[in-house]
Amino acid sequence: MTLHDLVAILSASSDTAVNFVLPDGAFVPAHFHVTEIGRVTKDFVDCGGTERHTESCVLQVWVANDVNHRLTSAKLSQIINKGLKLFSTTSLPLEVEYDKGVISQYPVLQIESLSNGITIQLGTKHTACLAPELCRVELPIESSCCPPGCC
């Protein structure tokens, strides 16, 4: 899902609840805050030597002790609108940063407008070798993943 998808759903909804669902099916506590919207750029070289570039829109979600706080779709829309000047396009992938013991970033898999509010389903991210033809990823884990000079 992209920032554009979220903006479209928020603009089409009435002022309603917003819920984040973690990959394990648990909900982020309803009194969460969205404390940041940001454009995250990553330039890197993979283990095969290929230069790469990624960009995403990241919403930071934080839970405080103010259990009566509720973020509505209208308020989330206001927060996003304040940050839109950071983006040259809204077609960037959407991710959510959330601290549940450790800070994790979750890709947004689905955004649904339901009768009880907007539900944002989060997925998981994993590391991976981006040059499997060079790094022989079929080797057992205890072996080196990469040939000499690769990594």
Side-chain angles (χ1 to χ4, degrees):
M1 301 299 300
T2 66
L3 175 57
H4 174 80
D5 297 324
L6 179 58
V7 168
I9 287 175
L10 290 173
S11 65
S13 75
S14 59
D15 194 19
T16 187
V18 177
N19 301 292
F20 288 95
V21 183
L22 296 166
D24 66 1
F27 283 80
V28 171
H31 57 282
F32 70 87
H33 296 251
V34 172
T35 57
E36 294 178 9
I37 177 173
R39 181 177 50 87
V40 176
T41 303
K42 181 179 175 183
D43 293 300
F44 60 101
V45 176
D46 69 25
C47 59
T50 302
E51 292 184 20
R52 297 183 185 265
H53 172 86
T54 63
E55 277 188 276
S56 60
C57 172
V58 177
L59 299 176
Q60 185 181 80
V61 174
W62 176 67
V63 177
N65 294 330
D66 57 341
V67 296
N68 294 319
H69 177 271
R70 297 292 183 271
L71 182 74
T72 65
S73 57
K75 181 63 178 173
L76 180 55
S77 184
Q78 289 175 0
I79 293 167
I80 290 171
N81 285 332
K82 288 178 185 177
L84 285 178
K85 64 185 173 202
L86 300 173
F87 302 93
S88 58
T89 178
T90 58
S91 64
L92 295 176
L94 185 60
E95 297 184 352
V96 171
E97 182 178 82
Y98 176 59
D99 180 352
K100 187 177 179 184
V102 296
I103 297 172
S104 296
Q105 281 187 324
Y106 303 95
V108 174
L109 298 181
Q110 185 175 8
I111 307 168
E112 290 184 289
S113 184
L114 304 169
S115 60
N116 63 341
I118 295 172
T119 299
I120 300 172
Q121 179 65 52
L122 306 178
T124 56
K125 290 176 74 169
H126 300 280
T127 59
C129 177
L130 299 177
E133 68 285 350
L134 294 174
C135 293
R136 298 186 305 246
V137 294
E138 69 277 359
L139 293 175
I141 291 177
E142 60 271 8
S143 299
S144 173
C145 76
C146 303
C150 174
C151 299

